[in-house]
């Protein structure tokens, strides 16, 4: 399978601090790679290096078959970049924003206008096409930003936390847009701190911490590393929690954790183990408010691998100040504005 993104041993330093420490990444054509990591792990730095916004200090990278270091201008022609904040001109309409991007990519005026109309229709923005984008909602601005990244129909899309700050409905709408892009053959590198987002959208996931990849696999493969299924019991009376602890110890693999009235343990045996625990509690007249088998979540994976829970805050706030170039240069950067034709 063709690798549309390939990075080997990427190292990036900011004033003596290594933001990337030999990062390896690969994204096959037509797939989505989810890049997960806590604040300051290096996700945004990796994206900016691949998008030619930061020169990396060591290593090598290619995007759509083009060497990032030796031919950055050609890389920019082959990618679309949508970042954590919508890079749109608030004083232009949606139609004008997209037309401007097309012109910056060298499209003739009529072609840029035609492409703008197509994308506004595709992203359900036609009704607002001629309104200033400063009147758009957050979700609409994000869709317009993503449309801008698609004006030149790039084979590779890099989405850096594209749903940060969106309300749940807008986030679901953006997920639908991303799924549609994948269905049409786009290759995506997606950074996110919303673990449900990676679980739903990514074919493969790389977890990075302190500038290094510490795990890679599908969501199911990563979940299996946390120890399989867990039994969770919530008792009605906190004073009787110890009985539930004793019941779980009979089937548990490892420690039994207690959080007020909730008792949890990794266990083998599935439903049979749960039935045995519930029978023990019934024999001892312990009232149960809730009980079930819980599969590990990506939150569990994240906590196990990094030692900290995922946080929805933007990574950029914790990166070195020197790592903050003008936003989304690559998504709208082109050699010159072509003469009108």
């Amino acid at each position: 399978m063709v690798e549309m993104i390939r990075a080997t041993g990427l190292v990036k330093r900011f004033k003596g601090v290594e933001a990337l420490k030999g990062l390896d990444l690969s994204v096959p054509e037509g797939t989505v790679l989810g890049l997960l990591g806590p604040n300051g792990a290096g996700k945004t730095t990796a994206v900016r290096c691949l998008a030619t916004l930061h020169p990396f200090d060591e290593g090598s990278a290619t995007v759509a078959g083009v060497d990032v270091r030796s031919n950055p201008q050609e890389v920019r022609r082959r990618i679309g970049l949508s970042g954590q904040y919508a890079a749109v001109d608030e004083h232009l309409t949606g139609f004008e924003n997209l037309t401007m991007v097309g012109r910056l990519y060298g499209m003739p005026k009529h072609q840029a206008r035609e492409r703008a109309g197509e994308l506004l229709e595709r992203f359900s923005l036609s009704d607002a096409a001629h309104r200033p984008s400063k009147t758009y909602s957050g979700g609409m601005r994000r869709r317009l930003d993503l449309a801008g990244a698609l004006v030149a129909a790039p084979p590779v899309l890099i989405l850096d936390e594209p749903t940060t700050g969106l309300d749940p409905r807008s986030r679901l709408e953006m997920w639908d847009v991303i799924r549609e892009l994948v269905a049409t053959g786009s290759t995506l590198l997606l950074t996110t701190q919303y673990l449900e987002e990676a679980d739903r959208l990514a074919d493969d996931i790389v977890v990075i911490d302190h500038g290094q990849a510490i795990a890679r696999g599908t969501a199911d493969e990563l979940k299996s590393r946390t120890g399989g299924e867990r039994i969770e019991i919530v008792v009605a009376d906190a004073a009787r929690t110890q009985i539930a602890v004793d019941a779980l110890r009979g089937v548990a693999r490892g420690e039994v954790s207690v959080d007020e009235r909730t008792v949890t343990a990794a266990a083998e045996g599935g439903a049979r183990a749960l039935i045995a625990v519930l029978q023990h509690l019934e024999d001892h007249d312990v009232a149960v408010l809730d009980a079930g088998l819980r599969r590990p979540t990506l939150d569990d994976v994240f906590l196990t691998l990094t030692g900290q829970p995922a946080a929805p805050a933007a990574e950029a706030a914790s990166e070195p100040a020197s790592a903050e170039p003008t936003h989304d240069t690559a998504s709208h950067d082109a050699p010159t504005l072509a003469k009108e034709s």
Side-chain angles (χ1 to χ4, degrees), residues 24-43:
D24 297 334
L25 293 175
S26 63
V27 189
E29 185 176 15
T31 67
V32 181
L33 177 67
L35 195 60
L36 300 182
N39 286 345
K43 301 188 302 298

Side-chain angles (χ1 to χ4, degrees), residues 6-330:
R6 177 74 177 177
T8 304
L10 288 190
V11 174
K12 177 61 183 177
R13 303 181 185 93
F14 295 105
K15 297 181 179 178
V17 176
E18 281 193 327
L20 298 179
K21 303 177 181 179
L23 180 66
D24 297 334
L25 293 175
S26 63
V27 189
E29 185 176 15
T31 67
V32 181
L33 177 67
L35 195 60
L36 300 182
N39 286 345
K43 301 188 302 298
T44 294
T45 299
V47 161
R48 289 172 175 168
C49 286
L50 292 170
T52 77
L53 297 177
H54 287 332
F56 43 89
D57 298 300
E58 297 177 25
S60 62
T62 59
V63 176
V66 179
D67 187 86
V68 173
R69 190 191 298 274
S70 64
N71 201 351
Q73 191 75 351
E74 187 60 30
V75 169
R76 293 175 187 175
R77 294 179 184 276
R78 301 186 182 207
I79 66 172
L81 174 63
S82 181
Q84 297 174 21
Y85 306 99
V88 299
D89 188 320
E90 293 186 343
H91 301 290
L92 297 181
T93 67
F95 182 80
E96 290 167 342
N97 264 284
L98 297 185
T99 300
M100 177 186 67
V101 174
R103 297 288 286 143
L104 288 171
Y105 271 105
M107 292 181 179
K109 185 176 181 180
H110 73 278
Q111 183 181 351
R113 291 171 63 88
E114 182 178 341
R115 181 63 173 158
E118 291 173 357
L119 289 168
L120 289 165
E121 179 70 27
R122 181 177 185 182
F123 285 86
S124 302
L125 292 170
S126 293
D127 291 344
H130 300 292
R131 282 169 37 196
S133 60
K134 64 183 178 182
T135 67
Y136 287 13
S137 68
M140 292 169 68
R141 287 166 61 88
R142 283 296 176 84
R143 294 204 303 275
L144 181 62
D145 184 57
L146 185 52
L150 293 175
V151 167
V156 175
L157 286 171
I158 300 176
L159 309 183
D160 188 17
E161 301 193 19
T163 64
T164 295
L166 295 185
D167 60 72
R169 178 178 178 180
S170 296
R171 184 172 297 122
L172 290 174
E173 290 175 349
M174 185 63 76
W175 289 357
D176 287 341
V177 170
I178 293 171
R179 288 191 188 96
E180 180 185 343
L181 293 173
V182 176
T184 59
S186 295
T187 300
L188 270 67
L189 175 61
L190 170 73
T191 79
T192 180
Q193 290 200 33
Y194 295 108
L195 301 184
E196 183 185 7
E197 188 163 271
D199 205 351
R200 292 196 183 192
L201 299 177
D203 298 294
D204 240 6
I205 295 170
V206 171
V207 182
I208 70 172
D209 198 16
H210 297 97
Q212 296 177 305
I214 59 175
R216 175 163 188 159
T218 65
D220 286 341
E221 288 168 347
L222 292 177
K223 290 173 186 178
S224 70
R225 295 179 57 168
T226 65
E229 294 176 322
R230 297 170 297 144
I231 292 177
E232 184 175 280
I233 303 292
V234 181
V235 299
D237 183 359
R240 313 210 71 191
T241 299
Q242 186 58 46
I243 299 175
V245 171
D246 295 338
L248 261 68
R249 280 179 178 156
V251 298
R253 289 185 294 102
E255 296 295 319
V256 177
S257 64
V258 180
D259 181 9
E260 297 182 351
R261 293 178 298 162
T262 302
V263 184
T264 308
E268 293 180 348
R272 286 181 307 217
L274 177 60
I275 291 170
V277 169
L278 292 175
Q279 185 62 57
H280 182 96
L281 296 176
E282 183 177 349
D283 292 343
H284 289 78
D285 296 320
V286 177
V288 175
L289 295 179
D290 189 24
L293 284 172
R294 314 291 190 216
R295 289 193 66 213
T297 65
L298 279 182
D299 295 82
D300 299 320
V301 173
F302 202 94
L303 181 60
T304 298
L305 293 173
T306 69
Q308 57 183 298
E315 176 187 353
S318 62
E319 287 206 355
S322 60
E324 300 298 331
T326 301
H327 181 67
D328 275 2
T329 303

